[in-house]
Amino acid sequence: MRGRWRGRVMTGALCLALAGSAHAADKNQKKALSALKSGTFQARIDALALLSRSKEPEAFQAVLAALKDKDATVRWAACEALEAMGNPEAIPALEEASKDASPLVAARAREAAAALKNATPGMRGPPVVQVQAVDKSGVGIAGLDALLGEKARAQLGRSKALQLGDPDGAGYLVQFNVQKVAEKKEGAETVLEVVVTATVQELPGHQLRFATRVGAAAGKTGPLSDAARKELANEILVPVSEALADEVAGYFAQRQ
């Protein structure tokens, strides 16, 4: 009997403590809501930090309104708070804020909108992929990087697993590299070998997520002139770049 009585006393004390805590939280939220409307710069910043932990509709609407604050730092803090609140209903307002006159606010709004989309089932669209092409072969055949980039982009553009563009925050950088161009004699033929690599880096941070390489060769009778060397390299590069782009698109398709 004594044990049960003690248990009831402890439970009652716990209920009182929770009630007191809830009352204090409600009081603090009301102060924060008031500060957002008429408080000093620092008070508005502090209010957003406090409201970012709230799930109350009133708090959410107040933070949304702070995206229009006269001070850019407060608007930036509002983007931060909306991401922390995790409510996907903030996405349209954040997308509008991505046009903010302050580049820092605009960038933070884009990041927050992307984070909320990625965290919301059914809202995550194809990842945004930026494509770069670089000639690292060192042999000096003009235009290899341009041809590689053109063919790789065209092939990736056919995939529904990604969208080409500028991530400007969260997204991916795909870099295609002409890694090696080498020639060798095989009997009466001169054979040109081209090796191309592709890497997928997640942004921000440039974390390496995928890497692959493809090589191919073609030859002509006799020694190669500069024009013949370029013609062969271009002939090889077209199918190689398309094959690499297919592998990259397959990587993104597997992630969906």
Side-chain angles (χ1 to χ4, degrees):
M1 185 69 177
R2 184 177 299 173
R4 286 198 297 272
W5 175 250
R6 285 180 180 172
R8 287 175 184 169
V9 171
M10 289 175 66
T11 302
L14 180 59
C15 288
L16 288 172
L18 288 174
S21 176
H23 176 73
D26 183 61
K27 188 177 180 181
N28 287 338
Q29 179 168 302
K30 286 181 179 178
K31 286 182 178 179
L33 291 170
S34 176
L36 268 187
K37 294 177 181 177
S38 57
T40 63
F41 161 77
Q42 188 58 54
R44 300 199 303 280
I45 295 290
D46 293 342
L48 286 167
L50 189 148
L51 293 174
S52 70
R53 301 190 292 271
S54 174
K55 300 298 181 184
E56 295 296 325
E58 188 179 6
F60 175 68
Q61 292 301 324
V63 177
L64 275 182
L67 288 173
K68 304 292 186 181
D69 194 277
K70 62 183 179 181
D71 192 284
T73 305
V74 176
R75 299 197 300 274
W76 188 96
C79 296
E80 186 95 348
L82 287 169
E83 181 179 341
M85 293 174 98
N87 187 340
E89 292 181 12
I91 292 172
L94 286 167
E95 289 178 337
E96 181 62 28
S98 70
K99 305 169 189 173
D100 195 280
S102 164
L104 291 177
V105 175
R108 188 65 190 89
R110 284 191 291 269
E111 290 172 4
L116 291 177
K117 285 180 180 178
N118 288 336
T120 306
M123 294 198 67
R124 184 182 302 171
V128 180
V129 171
Q130 180 182 3
V131 176
Q132 290 181 354
V134 181
D135 182 2
K136 295 184 176 181
S137 65
V139 298
I141 300 177
L144 291 185
D145 52 346
L147 179 63
L148 174 60
E150 175 192 345
K151 297 302 178 182
R153 286 187 188 92
Q155 193 71 5
L156 287 175
R158 299 185 179 98
S159 173
K160 295 181 180 179
L162 54 88
Q163 55 180 321
L164 300 179
D166 183 358
D168 197 18
Y172 294 86
L173 171 66
V174 179
Q175 190 173 78
F176 293 88
N177 301 310
V178 182
Q179 203 69 38
K180 175 185 176 184
V181 177
E183 61 183 82
K184 59 182 178 179
K185 293 289 291 182
E186 289 187 1
E189 278 197 330
T190 303
V191 175
L192 193 72
E193 180 190 15
V194 178
V195 177
V196 182
T197 63
T199 58
V200 176
Q201 301 172 51
E202 188 171 358
L203 305 173
H206 291 270
Q207 296 170 308
L208 182 63
R209 296 302 186 192
F210 178 75
T212 185
R213 60 181 270 161
V214 173
K220 285 191 174 184
T221 302
L224 296 178
S225 65
D226 289 344
R229 188 176 295 108
K230 180 174 182 177
E231 181 184 350
L232 268 184
N234 288 353
E235 179 183 319
I236 296 166
L237 201 57
V238 171
V240 165
S241 59
E242 292 176 348
L244 268 180
D246 282 342
E247 288 195 34
V248 169
Y251 164 77
F252 285 106
Q254 290 174 358
R255 291 175 59 87
Q256 291 183 339

